[in-house]
Amino acid sequence: MLVCVIWGACVSQQRVGSSNFSPSQQLQILTEKAINNITLIPLDSMKVPRSINEDGSLHGVKTRDWTSGFYAGTFWGLYRFSKDARLKKAAMDWTSFQKKERYDDHTHDLGFKIYCSFGEGYRLMNNEDYKQVIIDASEQLIQRYSDKVGAIRSWDHNRDKWDYPVIIDNMMNLEMLFVATKLSGNQKYYEIANKHAQKTLANHFRTDNSSYHVIDYYPENGEIRKRNTHQGHSHESAWARGQAWGLYGFTVTYRETKNLQYLEKAKEIANFFFTHPNLPTDKIPYWDFNAPNIPNEERDASAAAIAASALIELSQHDTKNSKKYLAWADQVLSSLSSKTYEATTPPFFVTQCVGSKPHNSEINVPISYADYYFVEALLRRNALMKNGSLSEVIAD
Ligand code: GLY
């Protein structure tokens, strides 16, 4: 399907600087866009919006794809804000397609696929059906855990290259496991998430607190076999979205365990972002902090949105630095709310994202996960401004 409808003036993103940035105003704008999307994008389990193809058409994916939960999750987020029944229905409809993914045994991405859809829904609806899907998906995910390695295996592809690859992104699947322990009363999900975080803490980080993308382990003893990248510029470079996944993952893992090692790591990753000489003033990083042709390289708005959402939460754990984190997040949200980063092709909100530059895939386009974390960050910032707390938007 060719997506050629340009957003009307009525739903155009605001031109704002950080001084007058309003999360609730931006959420209102996105709510109107999302309501329009319901009629523009037909419900189709085989074509869940992911990004835009080079010819401008919608890149839709089957639910098997790792990104399939974000579109439903974005509807949940905007329903949380607006309480508009049309958004609730859309969220439920797109979420229902994800249900079979709880038994997907080919990937670690069950957190993204199930927790960003069913998890978001459960936090609003408290329904038994959704709760069971989260527990089932967690049970499936821990089948990929090896005690010999001490981590959950990420990928099954590229077997000629890697024996037991674990990627920094995998930190994002742990939240679902922590929640599954609370929902089921079974401690095993928590224990595995914690062991995975310990292994990642021990081996994924360099001395400058940037992280490797892929650590490949020997399956028989958990020793490191290779330190690689897959989507970054080089094995020793700092792929921007990977840094954001780590920041978010260790912030959540601290929330759930209260282990100060994890808080320290989240603070160190934040510091890596803050002090990096290649970070542009609008705080939207290049797709890799060490991309070879900076400043003539694409930005990755998705990395910025993920990091902003994480920093808003971190501001509540590391209160000494909370002003710094919130100022940074506000700058990101203000930038993403500006015309410069506004997607002009429905159903997307934010553009200038990079999926995988080394694979020449999704370069400088809107991508569904940028929208999801943009909305999440706006909801968090809005809750903090309104209530002085995140309890309304983050389950404890
Ligand atoms: N988790 C895959 C990515 O961030 O592209």
Side-chain angles (χ1 to χ4, degrees):
M1 179 180 101
L2 256 183
V3 177
C4 52
V5 182
I6 305 296
W7 293 113
C10 59
V11 290
S12 185
Q13 282 175 208
Q14 54 187 352
R15 295 161 206 271
V16 286
S18 48
S19 55
N20 63 351
F21 173 70
S22 156
S24 69
Q25 204 182 325
Q26 188 58 29
L27 283 163
Q28 189 53 48
I29 291 167
L30 300 185
T31 295
E32 287 171 36
K33 287 188 176 189
I35 289 167
N36 279 348
N37 287 339
I38 295 170
T39 40
L40 288 174
I41 308 293
L43 262 176
D44 185 347
S45 67
M46 307 294 273
K47 218 164 176 198
V48 183
R50 169 174 166 141
S51 64
I52 296 289
N53 295 314
E54 276 179 26
D55 65 1
S57 60
L58 179 69
H59 177 196
V61 290
K62 296 180 185 163
T63 55
R64 183 180 164 88
D65 189 87
W66 79 273
T67 64
S68 59
F70 295 117
Y71 194 59
T74 300
F75 279 120
W76 282 121
L78 292 170
Y79 167 62
R80 176 186 283 283
F81 171 74
S82 64
K83 297 291 177 292
D84 189 297
R86 291 166 291 181
L87 294 178
K88 179 179 176 184
K89 181 173 181 330
M92 291 180 77
D93 288 345
W94 286 97
T95 293
S96 69
F97 296 151
Q98 299 297 111
K99 193 167 182 174
K100 67 178 188 329
E101 297 305 318
R102 68 190 146 153
Y103 299 129
D104 183 357
D105 63 0
H106 91 287
T107 180
H108 67 141
D109 283 324
L110 288 163
F112 285 126
K113 296 207 288 184
I114 296 297
Y115 198 64
C116 296
S117 54
F118 280 94
E120 287 283 335
Y122 180 71
R123 283 168 46 218
L124 284 157
M125 313 258 290
N126 261 298
N127 47 349
E128 284 302 309
D129 177 26
Y130 283 20
K131 174 175 159 178
Q132 194 55 48
V133 174
I134 295 164
I135 296 169
D136 291 346
S138 300
E139 190 59 36
Q140 185 67 58
L141 178 56
I142 64 169
Q143 305 310 312
R144 298 180 71 81
Y145 177 77
S146 152
D147 226 358
K148 282 190 190 143
V149 175
I152 297 165
R153 182 188 178 110
S154 292
W155 292 328
D156 294 344
H157 58 75
N158 282 296
R159 281 179 182 270
D160 54 329
K161 215 191 287 182
W162 302 309
D163 279 353
Y164 197 101
V166 177
I167 66 174
I168 188 68
D169 323 25
N170 203 343
M171 286 298 298
M172 297 297 287
N173 294 308
L174 305 186
E175 185 170 11
M176 180 175 76
L177 297 182
F178 288 121
V179 170
T181 280
K182 290 182 226 174
L183 297 181
S184 66
N186 193 330
Q187 195 62 17
K188 69 181 171 182
Y189 308 112
Y190 178 108
E191 297 299 341
I192 287 175
N194 193 37
K195 282 188 183 156
H196 182 94
Q198 281 293 319
K199 191 80 181 182
T200 304
L201 188 67
N203 295 329
H204 256 83
F205 291 89
R206 306 184 183 101
T207 49
D208 69 352
N209 293 309
S210 67
S211 67
Y212 289 96
H213 186 194
V214 186
I215 299 292
D216 187 35
Y217 291 103
Y218 288 101
E220 56 279 13
N221 60 18
E223 281 172 20
I224 296 178
R225 206 175 150 253
K226 286 180 183 172
R227 295 176 177 88
N228 279 182
T229 196
H230 186 57
Q231 284 153 271
H233 164 60
S234 71
H235 293 327
E236 289 301 325
S237 73
W239 173 52
R241 196 162 54 257
Q243 312 315 303
W245 291 141
L247 174 60
Y248 194 117
F250 278 99
T251 302
V252 168
T253 308
Y254 171 70
R255 179 216 304 160
E256 297 295 338
T257 62
K258 298 291 179 277
N259 180 334
L260 288 170
Q261 286 180 302
Y262 301 144
L263 179 61
E264 202 46 43
K265 185 48 73 185
K267 287 164 64 175
E268 288 169 352
I269 304 170
N271 204 40
F272 174 83
F273 272 88
F274 292 153
T275 55
H276 204 286
N278 289 344
L279 186 70
T281 50
D282 70 359
K283 307 284 191 269
I284 312 300
Y286 295 99
W287 66 277
D288 190 303
F289 281 93
N290 309 107
N293 301 311
I294 290 173
N296 300 315
E297 293 280 356
E298 294 81 9
R299 307 295 189 91
D300 181 16
S302 75
I306 297 157
S309 189
L311 286 170
I312 296 167
E313 174 169 2
L314 190 58
S315 76
Q316 302 305 288
H317 302 315
D318 176 20
T319 47
K320 258 209 227 144
N321 289 307
S322 100
K323 269 197 183 144
K324 191 166 82 174
Y325 299 147
L326 292 177
W328 200 97
D330 284 351
Q331 175 62 65
V332 169
L333 295 181
S334 176
S335 300
L336 297 184
S337 299
S338 73
K339 282 282 173 200
T340 310
Y341 293 96
E342 179 179 13
T344 51
T345 38
F348 301 104
F349 304 153
V350 169
T351 191
Q352 295 203 42
C353 305
V354 172
S356 181
K357 182 99 188 237
H359 301 92
N360 203 22
S361 167
E362 299 181 317
I363 297 172
N364 200 15
V365 291
I367 307 187
S368 58
Y369 43 87
D371 291 352
Y372 174 88
Y373 289 101
F374 181 39
V375 168
E376 183 183 83
L378 288 166
L379 287 167
R380 290 177 174 194
R381 195 63 183 103
N382 193 41
L384 265 190
M385 282 179 173
K386 233 176 48 193
N387 312 324
S389 134
L390 291 176
S391 59
E392 193 183 88
V393 287
I394 293 181
D396 211 4

